[in-house]
Amino acid sequence: MSTWDLSKTKHHVLICNGGSCLRNQGDEVTLAIRAEIALQGAEDYIHTTRTKCNGRCEDACVVIVYPEGTWYKGMTPETAEMLVREHLLHGNPLQEQKSYYFDNQRFNPTGNGAKGVLRAAAVHKKTI
């Protein structure tokens, strides 16, 4: 495994590949984000990481952008490409997909349908 030089990195993108997100195009979103980063020649500035469940199953597919602390919901391969071009390269977050943002030392819901965290038991019941 190689070690990434993060000294030029401006954004770290966490892409949920937990069960609910994978059922909602998580793998396709991951591939679309990585392909668009390569197409734009931005590999030195944007680092991606596949994660397991981020606890926002109702928002699947979830993508999180740091250092801003912006959480996105309902991501698709098409919105993933827009995320790279608009938010990561030009600083314009995708307002329709944004569910939470970090401001004043806390995460704030956007009013775009962000819901409370599901309890593990409720998630388990849904998957049975």
Side-chain angles (χ1 to χ4, degrees), residues 19-44:
S20 294
C21 287
L22 285 177
R23 285 189 294 279
N24 285 280
Q25 298 186 300
D27 192 50
E28 294 85 349
V29 168
T30 302
L31 296 174
I33 288 173
R34 290 177 173 174
E36 190 65 27
I37 290 168
L39 182 68
Q40 299 295 330
E43 296 98 330
D44 288 345

Short mmCIF file of all heavy atoms in Angstrom, two decimals, residues 19-44:
data_model
loop_
_atom_site.label_atom_id
_atom_site.label_comp_id
_atom_site.label_asym_id
_atom_site.label_seq_id
_atom_site.Cartn_x
_atom_site.Cartn_y
_atom_site.Cartn_z
N GLY A 19 -23.84 -0.45 4.11
CA GLY A 19 -24.89 -1.22 3.46
C GLY A 19 -25.95 -0.40 2.75
O GLY A 19 -26.26 -0.63 1.58
N SER A 20 -26.54 0.58 3.44
CA SER A 20 -27.60 1.40 2.83
C SER A 20 -27.05 2.22 1.67
O SER A 20 -27.71 2.35 0.64
CB SER A 20 -28.23 2.32 3.86
OG SER A 20 -28.92 1.58 4.83
N CYS A 21 -25.88 2.76 1.83
CA CYS A 21 -25.30 3.58 0.76
C CYS A 21 -24.92 2.72 -0.44
O CYS A 21 -25.13 3.13 -1.59
CB CYS A 21 -24.11 4.37 1.28
SG CYS A 21 -24.63 5.75 2.35
N LEU A 22 -24.41 1.52 -0.20
CA LEU A 22 -24.09 0.64 -1.33
C LEU A 22 -25.35 0.27 -2.10
O LEU A 22 -25.32 0.17 -3.33
CB LEU A 22 -23.35 -0.61 -0.87
CG LEU A 22 -21.89 -0.40 -0.51
CD1 LEU A 22 -21.27 -1.70 0.00
CD2 LEU A 22 -21.08 0.14 -1.69
N ARG A 23 -26.47 0.10 -1.38
CA ARG A 23 -27.74 -0.19 -2.06
C ARG A 23 -28.26 1.03 -2.82
O ARG A 23 -29.17 0.91 -3.64
CB ARG A 23 -28.78 -0.69 -1.06
CG ARG A 23 -28.52 -2.12 -0.60
CD ARG A 23 -29.68 -2.67 0.23
NE ARG A 23 -29.86 -2.01 1.51
CZ ARG A 23 -29.15 -2.27 2.61
NH1 ARG A 23 -28.17 -3.17 2.58
NH2 ARG A 23 -29.39 -1.64 3.73
N ASN A 24 -27.71 2.19 -2.52
CA ASN A 24 -28.12 3.44 -3.18
C ASN A 24 -26.97 4.05 -3.97
O ASN A 24 -26.69 5.23 -3.88
CB ASN A 24 -28.65 4.43 -2.14
CG ASN A 24 -30.02 4.05 -1.65
OD1 ASN A 24 -31.00 4.31 -2.32
ND2 ASN A 24 -30.08 3.40 -0.50
N GLN A 25 -26.27 3.20 -4.72
CA GLN A 25 -25.23 3.60 -5.67
C GLN A 25 -23.93 4.08 -5.03
O GLN A 25 -23.17 4.83 -5.65
CB GLN A 25 -25.74 4.68 -6.63
CG GLN A 25 -26.89 4.24 -7.50
CD GLN A 25 -27.25 5.28 -8.52
OE1 GLN A 25 -27.61 6.40 -8.15
NE2 GLN A 25 -27.15 4.92 -9.78
N GLY A 26 -23.63 3.64 -3.81
CA GLY A 26 -22.40 4.06 -3.15
C GLY A 26 -21.14 3.75 -3.94
O GLY A 26 -20.24 4.58 -4.03
N ASP A 27 -21.08 2.57 -4.52
CA ASP A 27 -19.89 2.22 -5.31
C ASP A 27 -19.81 3.08 -6.57
O ASP A 27 -18.74 3.59 -6.91
CB ASP A 27 -19.91 0.73 -5.67
CG ASP A 27 -18.57 0.27 -6.22
OD1 ASP A 27 -17.53 0.56 -5.59
OD2 ASP A 27 -18.57 -0.35 -7.31
N GLU A 28 -20.94 3.29 -7.22
CA GLU A 28 -20.96 4.12 -8.43
C GLU A 28 -20.60 5.57 -8.11
O GLU A 28 -19.92 6.24 -8.89
CB GLU A 28 -22.34 4.05 -9.10
CG GLU A 28 -22.69 2.68 -9.65
CD GLU A 28 -23.32 1.72 -8.64
OE1 GLU A 28 -23.31 2.01 -7.42
OE2 GLU A 28 -23.80 0.66 -9.06
N VAL A 29 -21.06 6.06 -6.96
CA VAL A 29 -20.73 7.42 -6.54
C VAL A 29 -19.22 7.53 -6.29
O VAL A 29 -18.57 8.48 -6.73
CB VAL A 29 -21.54 7.83 -5.28
CG1 VAL A 29 -20.99 9.10 -4.64
CG2 VAL A 29 -23.01 7.98 -5.64
N THR A 30 -18.66 6.53 -5.61
CA THR A 30 -17.22 6.51 -5.35
C THR A 30 -16.44 6.57 -6.66
O THR A 30 -15.53 7.39 -6.82
CB THR A 30 -16.83 5.23 -4.58
OG1 THR A 30 -17.56 5.19 -3.36
CG2 THR A 30 -15.34 5.20 -4.29
N LEU A 31 -16.80 5.72 -7.61
CA LEU A 31 -16.10 5.67 -8.90
C LEU A 31 -16.28 6.96 -9.68
O LEU A 31 -15.33 7.44 -10.31
CB LEU A 31 -16.58 4.47 -9.71
CG LEU A 31 -16.28 3.10 -9.09
CD1 LEU A 31 -16.92 1.99 -9.92
CD2 LEU A 31 -14.79 2.88 -8.94
N ALA A 32 -17.47 7.56 -9.63
CA ALA A 32 -17.72 8.81 -10.34
C ALA A 32 -16.88 9.96 -9.77
O ALA A 32 -16.31 10.76 -10.52
CB ALA A 32 -19.20 9.16 -10.30
N ILE A 33 -16.81 10.05 -8.44
CA ILE A 33 -16.01 11.10 -7.81
C ILE A 33 -14.54 10.93 -8.20
O ILE A 33 -13.88 11.88 -8.62
CB ILE A 33 -16.18 11.09 -6.28
CG1 ILE A 33 -17.56 11.61 -5.90
CG2 ILE A 33 -15.07 11.90 -5.59
CD1 ILE A 33 -17.91 11.48 -4.43
N ARG A 34 -14.04 9.72 -8.08
CA ARG A 34 -12.63 9.48 -8.40
C ARG A 34 -12.32 9.71 -9.87
O ARG A 34 -11.26 10.25 -10.21
CB ARG A 34 -12.23 8.08 -7.95
CG ARG A 34 -12.18 7.97 -6.43
CD ARG A 34 -11.87 6.59 -5.94
NE ARG A 34 -11.67 6.60 -4.49
CZ ARG A 34 -11.50 5.53 -3.75
NH1 ARG A 34 -11.49 4.33 -4.32
NH2 ARG A 34 -11.33 5.63 -2.45
N ALA A 35 -13.24 9.34 -10.76
CA ALA A 35 -13.03 9.55 -12.19
C ALA A 35 -13.03 11.05 -12.52
O ALA A 35 -12.20 11.51 -13.32
CB ALA A 35 -14.11 8.83 -13.00
N GLU A 36 -13.93 11.80 -11.91
CA GLU A 36 -14.00 13.25 -12.17
C GLU A 36 -12.77 13.96 -11.61
O GLU A 36 -12.25 14.90 -12.24
CB GLU A 36 -15.28 13.85 -11.60
CG GLU A 36 -15.54 15.27 -12.02
CD GLU A 36 -15.79 15.45 -13.51
OE1 GLU A 36 -16.26 14.51 -14.19
OE2 GLU A 36 -15.51 16.56 -14.02
N ILE A 37 -12.28 13.53 -10.47
CA ILE A 37 -11.04 14.10 -9.91
C ILE A 37 -9.90 13.87 -10.89
O ILE A 37 -9.13 14.79 -11.19
CB ILE A 37 -10.72 13.48 -8.53
CG1 ILE A 37 -11.74 13.96 -7.49
CG2 ILE A 37 -9.29 13.82 -8.10
CD1 ILE A 37 -11.68 13.20 -6.18
N ALA A 38 -9.79 12.66 -11.43
CA ALA A 38 -8.73 12.35 -12.40
C ALA A 38 -8.92 13.16 -13.68
O ALA A 38 -7.94 13.71 -14.22
CB ALA A 38 -8.72 10.85 -12.70
N LEU A 39 -10.15 13.24 -14.18
CA LEU A 39 -10.44 14.00 -15.40
C LEU A 39 -10.04 15.47 -15.25
O LEU A 39 -9.52 16.08 -16.18
CB LEU A 39 -11.93 13.89 -15.74
CG LEU A 39 -12.39 14.59 -17.01
CD1 LEU A 39 -11.80 13.89 -18.24
CD2 LEU A 39 -13.90 14.60 -17.08
N GLN A 40 -10.26 16.01 -14.06
CA GLN A 40 -9.93 17.42 -13.79
C GLN A 40 -8.47 17.62 -13.40
O GLN A 40 -8.03 18.75 -13.19
CB GLN A 40 -10.84 17.96 -12.68
CG GLN A 40 -12.31 17.93 -13.01
CD GLN A 40 -12.68 18.85 -14.15
OE1 GLN A 40 -12.06 19.89 -14.37
NE2 GLN A 40 -13.70 18.47 -14.90
N GLY A 41 -7.71 16.52 -13.29
CA GLY A 41 -6.30 16.62 -12.90
C GLY A 41 -6.11 17.13 -11.49
O GLY A 41 -5.14 17.83 -11.19
N ALA A 42 -7.02 16.75 -10.58
CA ALA A 42 -7.01 17.30 -9.22
C ALA A 42 -6.58 16.28 -8.17
O ALA A 42 -6.84 16.48 -6.99
CB ALA A 42 -8.40 17.84 -8.90
N GLU A 43 -5.91 15.22 -8.59
CA GLU A 43 -5.52 14.17 -7.64
C GLU A 43 -4.64 14.67 -6.50
O GLU A 43 -4.71 14.15 -5.40
CB GLU A 43 -4.78 13.03 -8.35
CG GLU A 43 -5.61 12.29 -9.36
CD GLU A 43 -5.37 12.77 -10.78
OE1 GLU A 43 -5.04 13.98 -10.99
OE2 GLU A 43 -5.51 11.97 -11.70
N ASP A 44 -3.82 15.69 -6.75
CA ASP A 44 -2.95 16.22 -5.69
C ASP A 44 -3.71 17.05 -4.66
O ASP A 44 -3.22 17.28 -3.57
CB ASP A 44 -1.85 17.09 -6.29
CG ASP A 44 -0.80 16.28 -7.02
OD1 ASP A 44 -0.74 15.05 -6.85
OD2 ASP A 44 -0.02 16.90 -7.78
#
